Amino acid sequence: MTPLISNPYKLNTGNNMAPHTTKSVENGQVGTSSDISDSGLPTPLSHDCCSSPVLHPTLAEEALAVGLEIRPLLGQSFGAEVLKMDLVNKPMAPIVNVVRKALLAHKVLVFRDQDDLTPEKHVEFSRYFGTLYQHALDEARLPGAEDIVVVSNEVDEAGKKKGINGIEESQSRNGRRHYWHSDLSYMAAPPMGSMLHIKVLPADGSGDTLFADMVQAYEGLPSEKQSELLSLQALHLFHKNLSKEAYSAMDASARAVLENLPAMSHPVVRTHPETGRKSLFVSEGFTTGIEGMEEAEGQALLDWLFDYTSQEKFVYRHKWKKGDMVFWDNRMLLHFATGSELPRTLYRTTIKGDVVF
Ligand code: OGA
Ligand code: MN
């Protein structure tokens, strides 16, 4: 049987690079990296930019200069809509740096009205921000556009699943399909961001995606708690929520995929490589324990953190509209799929980030 969890990934070492990318060799793997600013690195933002839901005036002007309008989400402490974007026809090179700054400032960007976005353009745009992770399972990749992960609960005429949709209930440790997580956090260099494009919107308006702000969560802790967490490392495991029975029932090749993804240790509090800000980096989806702590003690701390971080005050609920393409920063946010009983399909790209520190 195949583990239908949205995860085992390999890096696309692709030759299909967007313009202005350079080849680099990291950890023995060839990848591509964006070369979008003069220095080759995005301009670091001042800390003031990120705590306010109000649009940074300079960024508003920069956006206008490249024909975009960025509107912070009303009544939310993070998130912005990007209007007047046309991911199919606009030349991307001039706007990429503005989008990157907007992502750092707002954490999640909602590009409206991208109904015509093709998988090829989705991939091309994503590659301006880094190398893409490709899903290891054939059934998760879009035929002809292998960098796209198909997130879907639909089946085709032959009854074959069109993509992946969380963890199968029958294979789940506790029957749950969806968990708060940061994509691929069990990798040494987890994704900086993911881009999700809605293809089939459930007719009843279900299927919201939740995002929780781990920067605010960290900053909201008392300083003693912050210092306690700063010294800790947590383990992240791809198949954390797969039941033991399901694991044992797997065929050898499927199990090999999981065995190639051993538990990965990351700091509980990470520092954002571009903004310098700290955030919590644990999730019920993948974090299995705290290094150097007894299992029960580590679990108690994690349970506390899972409850604390999922509080409504940290959460933005994205209600999908037709044509939406959402780009979020996995280094600052956790997200959660609420799922749907009705047909729902999205295409995702997953952009490699830095080793966590
Ligand atoms: C994902 C994901 C959320 C959703 O694609 O990484 O978690 O609501 N999707 O489908
Ligand atoms: Mn996800």
Side-chain angles (χ1 to χ4, degrees), residues 181 183 328 335 348:
H181 65 283
D183 287 335
W328 69 89
H335 60 282
R348 191 185 81 204

Side-chain angles (χ1 to χ4, degrees), residues 275-294:
T275 67
R277 296 184 89 179
K278 291 187 164 41
S279 63
L280 294 172
F281 194 60
V282 292
S283 74
E284 59 175 14
F286 300 124
T287 312
T288 54
I290 305 287
E291 281 204 83
M293 268 191 197
E294 289 297 327

Side-chain angles (χ1 to χ4, degrees), residues 6-7 181-184 194 196 286 328 330 335-336 348:
S6 52
N7 293 313
H181 65 283
S182 177
D183 287 335
L184 283 62
S194 303
L196 201 51
F286 300 124
W328 69 89
N330 276 304
H335 60 282
F336 181 91
R348 191 185 81 204

Side-chain angles (χ1 to χ4, degrees), residues 221-255:
L221 289 170
S223 58
E224 312 79 64
K225 191 76 180 170
Q226 289 179 341
S227 335
E228 174 197 330
L229 298 176
L230 276 171
S231 61
L232 301 177
Q233 294 274 133
L235 292 169
H236 295 240
L237 185 66
F238 161 56
H239 60 276
K240 172 189 172 185
N241 289 308
L242 194 67
S243 71
K244 287 200 174 61
E245 298 71 31
Y247 188 87
S248 315
M250 259 177 205
D251 63 40
S253 65
R255 204 182 308 190

Side-chain angles (χ1 to χ4, degrees), residues 50-70:
C50 308
S51 56
S52 164
V54 176
L55 184 58
H56 197 280
T58 323
L59 185 50
E61 279 164 25
E62 283 184 52
L64 281 177
V66 294
L68 298 180
E69 193 184 325
I70 299 176

Side-chain angles (χ1 to χ4, degrees), residues 75-262:
Q76 303 291 332
S77 61
F78 66 98
E81 280 183 312
V82 182
L83 307 174
K84 304 191 180 140
M85 173 61 109
D86 179 347
L87 286 166
V88 175
N89 297 306
K90 259 193 209 273
M92 288 301 136
I95 65 167
V96 164
N97 215 21
V98 174
V99 171
R100 187 187 285 271
K101 286 186 193 178
L103 181 75
L104 297 180
H106 298 288
K107 304 174 179 135
V108 54
L109 301 176
V110 181
F111 297 87
R112 300 286 189 197
D113 308 314
Q114 303 307 307
D115 304 75
D116 299 333
L117 181 62
T118 58
E120 292 69 29
K121 285 285 179 181
H122 183 161
V123 166
E124 184 184 317
F125 184 55
S126 306
R127 281 172 169 264
Y128 278 101
F129 300 90
T131 311
L132 305 187
Y133 278 114
Q134 256 188 16
H135 208 289
L137 298 173
D138 291 348
E139 62 266 37
R141 300 199 299 263
L142 185 67
E146 305 284 309
D147 293 321
I148 298 265
V149 177
V150 181
V151 176
S152 180
N153 58 9
E154 296 190 273
V155 291
D156 65 16
E157 304 76 43
K160 187 171 165 284
K161 288 189 164 75
K162 286 191 183 173
I164 51 165
N165 178 34
I167 187 166
E168 287 296 311
E169 276 121 343
S170 60
Q171 300 184 345
S172 169
R173 199 161 57 91
N174 54 15
R176 278 175 64 194
R177 187 181 269 281
H178 300 293
Y179 300 86
W180 283 102
H181 65 283
S182 177
D183 287 335
L184 283 62
S185 70
Y186 45 81
M187 303 294 282
M192 56 79 70
S194 303
M195 290 188 191
L196 201 51
H197 183 222
I198 188 98
K199 306 297 285 186
V200 176
L201 186 66
D204 63 352
S206 62
D208 300 347
T209 306
L210 313 184
F211 295 92
D213 187 344
M214 293 303 101
V215 180
Q216 281 187 62
Y218 174 74
E219 291 177 357
L221 289 170
S223 58
E224 312 79 64
K225 191 76 180 170
Q226 289 179 341
S227 335
E228 174 197 330
L229 298 176
L230 276 171
S231 61
L232 301 177
Q233 294 274 133
L235 292 169
H236 295 240
L237 185 66
F238 161 56
H239 60 276
K240 172 189 172 185
N241 289 308
L242 194 67
S243 71
K244 287 200 174 61
E245 298 71 31
Y247 188 87
S248 315
M250 259 177 205
D251 63 40
S253 65
R255 204 182 308 190
V257 171
L258 303 192
E259 280 162 9
N260 274 332
L261 291 165

